[in-house]
Amino acid sequence: MLKRINWKAIFKVFAWLTCLAGVVVLMSFIGVKKHTVKCAKIEILIPGADNFIEIEEIDAILKQNQGDLIGRNLEGINLHDIEKSIAANPYIGFVKVYADMNGTVFIEVKQRQPILRILNAGGQDYYVDSDGLKMPVSPNFTANVLVASGNILEGFNGRVDTLMTGIAKDLYQTAAFVKKDTLWDAQIEQLYVNEKNDIEMVPRVGNQRIILGNAKDINIKMENLLAFYKQAMPKVGWNAYRSINLKYVNQIVCEKRDSLAIKKIEKSVVPDSVVQQQQAINAEVKAAIQDEIDKATQTQAAGDTKNTKAETAPVKTDTKKVDKAKTTNTVDAAKKTEVKKEKDKEAAKPKTVQKTATKEKDNKKTNR
């Protein structure tokens, strides 16, 4: 017997062959059109607020490597070479170049996003981007990021490169953590590496050194710092401590100032503009910390109310019994007082009679 023909398989093969033939025909039409279509316009897109590189610089790179593109056939323009030449710029993290059949060449550029600026021990100055790569500073734009200085031995050769030393990697992890949190991004102003290779954080609010140590368990360390802010700072003030040591995960070690040193800090003379700016920043940071305190107290209050409800349920029945006992006692007392009053009245009556009788006898005597 002949096997049944599998029409489904035949239909699938025919459909694939038709699609492949259509793609080949379409590509041939595109190839033919490329011979006739000329570059009429170049669109350069640079999203983001940072301006490490300008449109004019990309245009200059195009002219240096490819010459003038306007008026040239699209077939004669090597889009891949354009991508490579633009991606060689140290401020560009990603670039995509493509063209349409209307003669427009599109260039989409994504800039590197710095999160840390390092001033190393040798005087070199460079950025570290969000991917942990070193990049040079720009004469066109200065990024508003954390600045790290001190005993940093990580060098920079002027090209995009990875971090080599352990302290530089810890600085990058610390900056990445601070950048993600709105509270710490507003509070931490600068990083410093001391002679013991410990990372110190310089806060905006409060005049103390926050010793982080390294970036290991940084989330736990910063949670401990936030808990310390909630409990201690509202009571003793923001300038009471000289240093706050977070190196040990399970505890916080603090060094306190004397009262004279605190008064000197509070009476330090600074320009009015600096005072106003500092007050604005302090208000924002303190408001953020107060919000965290309010959230914690609300959750604690909710738990306390649940516990009090559970505890007061049996007490209500007892209070009813006590109230009944009190009312019975008060009724009995009232009855007793009424009985006493009646007895007093009865006792008072014969006394008045006796007095009147004696008065009558006295009157009789006087009449005689």
Side-chain angles (χ1 to χ4, degrees):
M1 293 178 65
L2 295 174
K3 292 183 179 179
R4 294 182 63 183
I5 299 173
N6 193 348
W7 293 104
K8 287 185 177 180
I10 294 173
F11 179 75
K12 286 182 179 179
V13 172
F14 180 75
W16 278 106
L17 290 174
T18 304
C19 292
L20 183 61
V23 171
V24 171
V25 173
L26 183 61
M27 293 297 293
S28 63
F29 276 114
I30 292 173
V32 171
K33 195 170 182 180
K34 274 189 177 181
H35 290 288
T36 59
V37 176
K38 295 183 179 181
C39 179
K41 188 171 58 172
I42 299 173
E43 290 284 344
I44 301 174
L45 305 176
I46 307 177
D50 297 342
N51 295 319
F52 285 105
I53 189 166
E54 301 289 344
I55 294 176
E56 293 79 10
E57 295 182 50
I58 296 177
D59 195 16
I61 294 172
L62 289 175
K63 290 180 179 179
Q64 183 179 0
N65 292 274
Q66 298 288 329
D68 195 0
L69 300 180
I70 303 298
R72 290 172 55 181
N73 292 332
L74 291 180
E75 187 182 19
I77 298 175
N78 193 333
L79 302 181
H80 183 66
D81 286 346
I82 294 175
E83 284 186 354
K84 287 177 63 177
S85 61
I86 296 175
N89 189 286
Y91 302 111
I92 296 175
F94 174 78
V95 60
K96 182 179 179 181
V97 181
Y98 59 95
D100 61 8
M101 290 296 101
N102 295 324
T104 304
V105 176
F106 294 92
I107 301 174
E108 295 182 2
V109 173
K110 182 181 178 181
Q111 300 181 88
R112 298 187 185 277
Q113 299 296 321
I115 60 173
L116 178 66
R117 186 170 182 172
I118 292 180
L119 303 173
N120 65 11
Q124 291 181 316
D125 186 6
Y126 56 92
Y127 288 115
V128 179
D129 69 357
S130 56
D131 296 325
L133 299 174
K134 293 178 284 188
M135 57 181 286
V137 296
S138 172
N140 300 328
F141 181 77
T142 301
N144 185 17
V145 294
L146 278 176
V147 177
S149 60
N151 189 25
I152 304 173
L153 303 179
E154 180 78 24
F156 182 58
N157 57 7
R159 299 192 304 270
V160 176
D161 197 2
T162 57
L163 297 171
M164 303 300 293
T165 61
I167 192 65
K169 293 177 181 178
D170 285 341
L171 288 170
Y172 160 69
Q173 293 178 11
T174 303
F177 180 87
V178 170
K179 186 71 175 177
K180 292 178 182 177
D181 193 288
T182 54
L183 172 62
W184 300 126
D185 191 25
Q187 168 69 340
I188 306 303
E189 185 176 20
Q190 186 178 347
L191 302 177
Y192 178 77
V193 180
N194 60 22
E195 63 278 359
K196 297 180 181 179
N197 286 332
D198 288 334
I199 297 175
E200 298 181 3
M201 298 186 295
V202 181
R204 295 182 187 272
V205 179
N207 192 357
Q208 65 271 147
R209 298 182 302 118
I210 302 174
I211 303 172
L212 182 67
N214 53 32
K216 185 180 179 181
D217 298 324
I218 185 172
N219 54 342
I220 300 175
K221 293 177 181 179
M222 299 308 285
E223 286 177 2
N224 293 340
L225 179 61
L226 180 59
F228 180 78
Y229 275 174
K230 291 178 182 179
Q231 297 174 9
M233 292 306 184
K235 297 178 181 178
V236 300
W238 290 93
N239 297 318
Y241 295 99
R242 189 185 305 276
S243 66
I244 302 173
N245 195 334
L246 308 174
K247 289 175 62 175
Y248 312 102
V249 178
N250 297 325
Q251 61 180 345
I252 296 177
V253 180
C254 299
E255 183 184 357
K256 203 168 185 179
R257 286 192 177 93
D258 56 1
S259 58
L260 294 177
I262 295 173
K263 290 180 180 179
K264 287 181 181 179
I265 294 172
E266 292 176 351
K267 292 182 179 180
S268 59
V269 179
V270 293
D272 293 338
S273 60
V274 177
V275 171
Q276 293 175 359
Q277 184 179 7
Q278 189 66 31
Q279 288 176 352
I281 295 171
N282 293 357
E284 292 179 2
V285 176
K286 289 181 180 179
I289 294 174
Q290 188 62 40
D291 291 339
E292 296 291 335
I293 295 173
D294 294 339
K295 289 178 183 177
T297 52
Q298 286 175 2
T299 54
Q300 187 177 2
D304 293 339
T305 52
K306 288 181 180 178
N307 294 329
T308 52
K309 285 181 180 178
E311 292 175 357
T312 52
V315 176
K316 287 183 179 178
T317 57
D318 295 338
T319 51
K320 288 181 179 178
K321 292 180 181 179
V322 172
D323 293 336
K324 287 181 180 179
K326 285 182 179 179
T327 52
T328 53
N329 292 331
T330 52
V331 170
D332 294 337
K335 288 180 180 180
K336 289 179 180 180
T337 51
E338 289 179 357
V339 171
K340 280 185 178 181
K341 286 181 180 179
E342 290 177 357
K343 288 181 178 180
D344 293 336
K345 286 180 181 179
E346 290 176 356
K349 285 180 180 178
K351 287 181 180 178
T352 54
V353 171
Q354 289 176 359
K355 285 182 179 179
T356 54
T358 52
K359 284 182 180 180
E360 290 177 355
K361 288 180 180 180
D362 294 333
N363 292 328
K364 287 180 180 179
K365 288 179 179 180
T366 53
N367 291 326
R368 286 178 185 178

